[in-house]
Amino acid sequence: MESEIEILASKLRGKIVIPSDTDYNDSRRVYNGMIDKHPRLIVMCMDVADVIASVNFGRENSLLVAIRGGGHNGGGLGVCDDGLVIDLSGIKFVRVDTSDNTVRVGGGNLWGEVDHATHPFGLAIPAGIISTTGVGGLTLGGGVGHLSRKYGLTIDNLLEADMVLADGSFVTVSAKQNSDLFWAIRGGGGNFGIVTSFKFQAHKVKTVFGGPTLWPIEKTEEIMKWYQDFISNAPDELNGFIATLIIPGAPFPEHLHNKQFCGIVWCYTGDMAKAKEAFKPILAMNPLFEHVGEMPYPSVQTLFDGLFPHGMQWYWRADFFNELGPELGKQHLKFGSKIPTPLSQMHLYPISGAASRVGAEDTAWAYRDANYCGVIVGVDPDPANTDKITTWCKEYWEALHPYSSGGAYSNFMMDEGQERVQASYKHNYNRLTKIKKQYDPDNLFRVNQNIKPN
Ligand SMILES: Cc1cc2nc3c(=O)[nH]c(=O)nc-3n(C[C@H](O)[C@H](O)[C@H](O)COP(=O)(O)OP(=O)(O)OC[C@H]3O[C@@H](n4cnc5c(N)ncnc54)[C@H](O)[C@@H]3O)c2cc1C
């Protein structure tokens, strides 16, 4: 293999990292500190040519191939044992086209870099709620965040993508070109090829009004019931995800530290002159703590970055829910009251407004009719607490799952087996397997929530 690696190196602008290199350990690390995989080589790609050479190398040498965008995936799908990691972190660029408010983004960019580049133009692309997440994985899985109710999921704003396929060929996909692939990558993850560049529709979002409101955990059932009614009647401009959480410390006031809460994080993108009026019914619910106000969009996107640095232990479980009925409220109270570590949380993101007006077969993302996208994360810096966070997360999930819509958002899952992957794509799974067979018949791209060729 050594001589093959030397030949590959001669074709690249980027470099290859192998186990004997001093930067090997840093290069193989991903965001989730629970993941400890040892690839045979990592190719730090700098351009499309590097990606093509790497894909051909992986295929010709029958290597397991992992694609790494931002490296944030909970299940550690950006790295693999004893295989090839195609790292895209060197393929970064953001170009804003003000003639039509579209934005070109590299396959290896992080969302914070995109927000930084679009904000001076008063533009934003719907993404997630943490700025260190990769554009690649988040987009290809769907993309749920503060702007979902107003402008849809991230994939609803994807116009075009450049891709390297399993046979090493390069294609551009859009509604007009290779439209089957364009359909599949909007939710189907990295199953179909490596995206080297994305083109998004951006929207006029510069200043938002938002932030957290907190109630004592004992009020969880009441607040969830109120939230369900409120958010389903709210204007699309108002987004809020509900959570059970602990306030770990600063910057929150001391009297809140290390206590459990039911919280909602809001983001309003309407007319700022009307924001206070829009928040009146929220504040009428008498939160114990509120910190809502006007802020630049990149600030709401980075509110939680400081709490969640790289390298902590993360255990994930997820499901969609059609409703938040009283039985669910009871379970949230029960498990929210025994959150095991200060950073462990449960979130429910609304899939309503614009995100719910896209047809359930229009993209690979199948749960447009589920009103809530739920996720439970056990998080802690100390590996000694791994069992504690994992047990809580699994038990919480098991208590909620009977009330769920059946499947989960693929970006919130760990390695949970084929049935769960199928449940997450529901009615779209069969079509996905056929497209997979056409473009990746040997399942070269299988370090993902895998759609089997059929
Ligand atoms: C702290 C945190 C907060 C999060 N918040 C949100 C949120 O608000 N909303 C939301 O929707 N999700 C959220 N997520 C989940 C996130 O969408 C997934 O973890 C996603 O997989 C991350 O993408 P990545 O590129 O960073 O991951 P990676 O680990 O690099 O890759 C994940 C998967 O995507 C594939 N992939 C990545 N880039 C490419 C590419 N360019 N071409 C082809 N395949 C590619 C990889 O093969 C792999 O299977 C969050 C995750 C974390 C850790």
Side-chain angles (χ1 to χ4, degrees), residues 26 66 106 113 139 152-153 221 231 251 270 300 330 339 382 394 402 450:
D26 282 344
E113 296 155 353
T139 301
L153 305 179
E221 289 167 276
I231 203 75
V300 76
K330 279 196 188 83
I339 298 175
D382 187 352
K394 281 186 180 166
N450 196 225

Side-chain angles (χ1 to χ4, degrees), residues 31 67-74 77-78 88 107 127-130 133-138 140 143-145 190 193-195 198 308 314 316 349 409 411-412 447-448:
Y31 181 82
I67 311 161
R68 177 173 164 151
H72 255 53
N73 186 268
L77 296 174
L88 305 174
I129 62 149
I130 296 257
T133 313
V135 172
L138 182 136
L140 297 170
V144 176
I194 303 186
V195 176
F198 296 90
F308 297 107
W314 285 72
W316 295 67
Y349 298 90
Y409 171 33
N411 270 346
F412 288 164
V447 182
N448 43 41

Side-chain angles (χ1 to χ4, degrees), residues 30-32 65-79 86 88 106-111 127-146 148 153-154 162-164 185 189-198 241 301 304-305 308-309 314 316 347 349 365 373 375 377 379 409-413 445-449:
V30 288
Y31 181 82
N32 185 353
V65 173
I67 311 161
R68 177 173 164 151
H72 255 53
N73 186 268
L77 296 174
V79 65
I86 301 180
L88 305 174
N109 272 103
L110 306 181
W111 278 109
I129 62 149
I130 296 257
S131 82
T132 53
T133 313
V135 172
L138 182 136
T139 301
L140 297 170
V144 176
H146 292 301
S148 301
L153 305 179
T154 308
D162 288 340
M163 295 177 72
V164 176
I185 65 162
N191 271 284
F192 303 93
I194 303 186
V195 176
T196 51
S197 115
F198 296 90
F241 71 86
Q301 288 296 97
F304 307 107
D305 284 10
F308 297 107
W314 285 72
W316 295 67
H347 294 181
Y349 298 90
W365 212 85
C373 177
V375 62
V377 287
V379 187
Y409 171 33
S410 64
N411 270 346
F412 288 164
M413 286 164 59
F445 302 122
R446 62 182 178 279
V447 182
N448 43 41
Q449 299 298 347

Side-chain angles (χ1 to χ4, degrees), residues 199-267:
K199 182 181 177 187
F200 293 105
Q201 183 65 59
H203 301 277
K204 287 188 177 151
V205 177
K206 187 153 175 102
T207 303
V208 301
F209 193 101
T213 48
L214 299 176
W215 291 267
I217 194 77
E218 294 74 23
K219 289 201 156 196
T220 299
E221 289 167 276
E222 178 194 341
I223 296 302
M224 266 193 187
K225 185 173 180 306
W226 167 81
Y227 166 78
Q228 176 163 238
D229 292 342
F230 178 74
I231 203 75
S232 51
N233 293 307
D236 291 356
E237 286 76 16
L238 186 58
N239 200 93
F241 71 86
I242 189 161
T244 55
L245 74 164
I246 291 181
I247 293 300
F252 290 92
E254 214 173 319
H255 70 277
L256 304 175
H257 292 183
N258 295 316
K259 295 199 174 87
Q260 283 98 350
F261 293 94
C262 174
I264 304 178
V265 180
W266 302 99
C267 179

Side-chain angles (χ1 to χ4, degrees), residues 264-283:
I264 304 178
V265 180
W266 302 99
C267 179
Y268 171 79
T269 50
D271 181 353
M272 286 303 117
K274 295 184 181 154
K276 286 202 171 132
E277 191 62 30
F279 274 73
K280 268 192 184 157
I282 300 168
L283 299 179

